[in-house]
């Protein structure tokens, strides 16, 4: 039995992880600021908070506050650091906030571990596939390549596929492994890369095991339906339930590695409980790439909706084109294998959404914010 602290433990992933760890007999403490962007303005109305209430020791605090960290870390043996700002598009204009929360909050945690007495022996951090930027591709002339972020001039002409930086020819996506180049294309991705590297480097010097889990696109029951900045399944669902049309960016062929919440929780539990891993980074995904068009069509069918799906050609600067994780390393080291297919996962997600209150659709507001900043085209 461990005393486990989960920062961001009232969030989408954190709350499910907390309940799983409690069921396994661990003592769980949660540090969370209950951000209104995720939880509404009242914790009484937050189903995520209510799901863990009375089952964990809850600290309403901020990772930017040293005293909150001190209180949370006390007597903990494992820290699972999930707390972060997570919207890729939003990160491009709320730069100071993203750096303060994601990097600054992590720095305070590590500073305390380096300079004060504690009982922590392992840190597991939620990293992100965003650190890879466009990830790994194949060029017929130059083999494996790592393309730079797509340019405004390129996408404005409807050329959405990444091009080889050497010969400028279209590329084929490859599964991105942990040894792939780290070159994030958004402020969010930069902060997650910084988080991961700070923790791996600092914990190694302190003799603390550190595991960075590079989560892919996580989805499932409990995902915020009021946050218009992250989670396209939630965004699309809220649009559908408000009888609003779905706007698919680019040409609809952009793809992501969607990994179901239960699989992510199970992978995280394996990382917590494994005593052989000392310091490493691991992809956590499905190993399957699914297009955004496929997701939109599937959701429309599952909701039995007649809303219009428009492939607009709009695009966001900082977005990647494709994503598929190579998960062979986590299979080998932790025995992890995803259990939930995208088809089964979408059905479980939709069944959950149908039992939730229909929320006001803030999508247009978020799009207008990006347009005002010149980030949405």
């Amino acid at each position: 039995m461990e005393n486990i602290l989960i920062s961001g433990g009232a969030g989408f992933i954190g709350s499910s992880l907390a309940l799983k760890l409690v069921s396994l007999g661990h003592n769980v403490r949660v540090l969370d600021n209950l951000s209104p962007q995720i939880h509404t303005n009242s914790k009484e109305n937050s189903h995520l908070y209510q799901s863990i209430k009375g089952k964990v020791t809850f600290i309403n605090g901020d990772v930017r506050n040293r005293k909150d960290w001190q209180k949370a870390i006390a007597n903990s043996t494992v820290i699972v650091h999930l707390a972060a700002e997570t919207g890729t598009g939003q990160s491009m204009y709320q730069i100071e906030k993203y750096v303060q929360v994601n990097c600054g909050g992590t720095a305070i945690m590590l500073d305390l571990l380096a300079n004060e007495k504690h009982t922590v022996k392992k840190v597991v951090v939620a990293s992100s596939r965003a650190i890879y930027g466009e990830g790994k591709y194949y060029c017929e002339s130059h083999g494996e390549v790592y393309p730079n972020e797509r340019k405004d001039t390129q996408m404005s002409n409807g050329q959405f596929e990444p091009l080889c930086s050497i010969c400028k020819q279209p590329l084929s996506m490859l599964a991105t492994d942990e040894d792939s180049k780290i070159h994030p294309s958004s402020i969010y991705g930069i902060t997650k890369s910084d988080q991961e590297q700070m923790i791996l480097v600092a914990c190694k010097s302190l003799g603390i095991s550190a595991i960075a889990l590079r989560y892919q696109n996580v989805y499932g029951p409990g995902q915020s339906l009021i946050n218009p900045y992250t989670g396209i399944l939630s965004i699309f669902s809220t649009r559908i339930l408000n009888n609003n049309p779905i706007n698919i960016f680019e040409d609809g062929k952009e793809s992501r590695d969607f990994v179901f919440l239960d699989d992510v929780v199970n992978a995280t539990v394996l990382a917590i409980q494994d005593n052989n891993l000392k310091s490493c980074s691991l992809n956590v995904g499905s190993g399957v790439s699914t297009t955004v068009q496929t997701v939109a069509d599937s959701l429309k069918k599952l909701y039995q909706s007649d809303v219009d799906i428009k492939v607009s050609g709009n695009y966001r600067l900082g977005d990647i084109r494709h994503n598929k994780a190579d998960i062979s390393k986590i299979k080998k080291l932790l025995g992890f294998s995803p259990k939930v297919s995208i088809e089964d996962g979408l059905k479980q997600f939709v069944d959950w959404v149908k039992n939730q209150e229909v929320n006001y659709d803030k999508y247009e507001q978020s799009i207008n914010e990006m347009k005002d900043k010149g980030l949405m085209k």
Side-chain angles (χ1 to χ4, degrees):
M1 182 180 70
E2 303 285 358
N3 294 326
I4 302 175
L5 164 64
I6 309 175
S7 72
F12 166 47
I13 299 173
S15 58
S16 288
L17 176 62
L19 294 175
K20 179 69 173 182
L21 291 171
V22 168
S23 74
L24 294 173
H26 298 291
N27 295 320
V28 177
R29 181 181 297 160
V30 164
L31 172 64
D32 202 295
N33 70 346
L34 298 177
S35 167
Q37 187 165 301
I38 299 170
H39 296 275
T40 76
N41 290 312
S42 169
K43 63 183 180 182
E44 284 72 27
N45 294 328
S46 169
H47 64 270
L48 294 175
Y49 170 76
Q50 292 298 326
S51 71
I52 62 172
K53 182 181 179 182
K55 300 171 184 176
V56 304
T57 301
F58 183 77
I59 299 172
N60 191 340
D62 195 307
V63 294
R64 293 169 291 185
N65 186 298
R66 190 178 185 89
K67 289 184 179 179
D68 290 340
W69 267 120
Q70 287 174 318
K71 183 177 180 181
I73 290 174
N75 301 317
S76 297
T77 54
V78 176
I79 298 174
V80 183
H81 187 30
L82 303 181
E85 297 292 337
T86 58
T88 299
Q90 190 181 42
S91 76
M92 301 299 284
Y93 58 91
Q94 291 194 4
I95 299 170
E96 183 179 11
K97 182 179 182 180
Y98 272 69
V99 173
Q100 286 180 343
V101 173
N102 297 359
C103 301
T106 302
I108 294 172
M109 176 191 75
L110 293 172
D111 196 76
L112 289 170
L113 295 181
N115 294 294
E116 297 190 4
K117 290 183 178 180
H118 62 83
T119 53
V120 175
K121 59 185 181 181
K122 175 180 284 188
V123 176
V124 177
V125 59
S127 185
S128 170
R129 69 87 33 225
I131 71 174
Y132 295 122
E134 273 293 350
K136 182 188 289 190
Y137 285 76
Y138 180 78
C139 173
E140 290 187 359
S141 300
H142 299 97
E144 292 182 1
V145 295
Y146 298 93
N148 295 322
E149 70 275 7
R150 296 171 295 162
K151 302 297 184 182
D152 192 358
T153 51
Q154 173 189 346
M155 293 194 287
S156 64
N157 291 322
Q159 173 58 57
F160 299 119
E161 293 295 336
L163 302 177
C164 177
S165 58
I166 304 171
C167 65
K168 309 303 180 185
Q169 294 302 306
L171 302 169
S172 301
M173 175 186 62
L174 297 175
T176 302
D177 59 58
E178 291 86 352
D179 292 327
S180 296
K181 182 179 178 180
I182 303 301
H183 64 143
S185 58
S186 67
I187 297 298
Y188 169 67
I190 292 170
T191 64
K192 296 306 288 184
S193 176
D194 287 349
Q195 265 192 331
E196 174 178 329
Q197 294 303 311
M198 289 164 67
I199 286 173
L200 291 176
V201 171
C203 287
K204 183 178 181 180
S205 71
L206 297 170
I208 300 172
S209 297
I211 311 299
L213 299 178
R214 296 173 178 171
Y215 296 151
Q216 309 301 301
N217 289 69
V218 187
Y219 73 100
Q223 194 162 24
S224 177
L225 297 173
I226 65 170
N227 185 355
Y229 301 100
T230 185
I232 65 168
L233 274 75
S234 294
I235 294 169
F236 286 173
S237 294
T238 300
R239 296 291 288 173
I240 291 171
L241 295 176
N242 281 275
N243 293 313
N244 291 326
I246 294 176
N247 175 20
I248 297 181
F249 295 167
E250 303 184 18
D251 58 3
K253 297 178 182 178
E254 62 273 25
S255 63
R256 300 290 184 267
D257 185 327
F258 293 99
V259 58
F260 194 66
L261 174 64
D262 291 359
D263 287 327
V264 169
V265 168
N266 289 337
T268 308
V269 170
L270 288 172
I272 292 169
Q273 295 184 332
D274 189 282
N275 293 320
N276 295 318
L277 292 179
K278 298 304 179 183
S279 179
C280 67
S281 301
L282 300 170
N283 286 334
V284 180
S286 67
V288 176
S289 186
T290 305
T291 68
V292 173
Q293 179 76 64
T294 298
V295 168
D297 290 340
S298 298
L299 289 174
K300 180 177 177 178
K301 183 177 180 180
L302 288 167
Y303 286 115
Q304 298 180 315
S305 171
D306 60 359
V307 301
D308 291 332
I309 297 177
K310 178 184 177 183
V311 180
S312 65
N314 295 148
Y315 56 90
R316 294 188 309 184
L317 299 179
D319 272 356
I320 64 163
R321 177 62 173 174
H322 295 300
N323 174 36
K324 182 172 72 173
D326 182 330
I327 56 174
S328 57
K329 184 176 178 181
I330 193 171
K331 284 183 177 180
K332 178 181 179 181
L333 295 181
L334 292 181
F336 168 77
S337 182
K339 301 293 192 295
V340 183
S341 67
I342 185 67
E343 294 80 12
D344 290 342
L346 286 176
K347 186 178 186 305
Q348 290 187 50
F349 174 70
V350 168
D351 287 345
W352 171 78
V353 173
K354 288 178 177 178
N355 291 313
Q356 306 306 307
E357 180 181 349
V358 178
N359 292 282
Y360 175 71
D361 186 359
K362 300 178 182 178
Y363 171 78
E364 295 295 343
Q365 171 189 324
S366 68
I367 292 298
N368 288 332
E369 287 180 6
M370 283 187 287
K371 286 181 178 179
D372 289 343
K373 306 295 182 182
L375 300 169
M376 180 77 194
K377 305 290 184 176

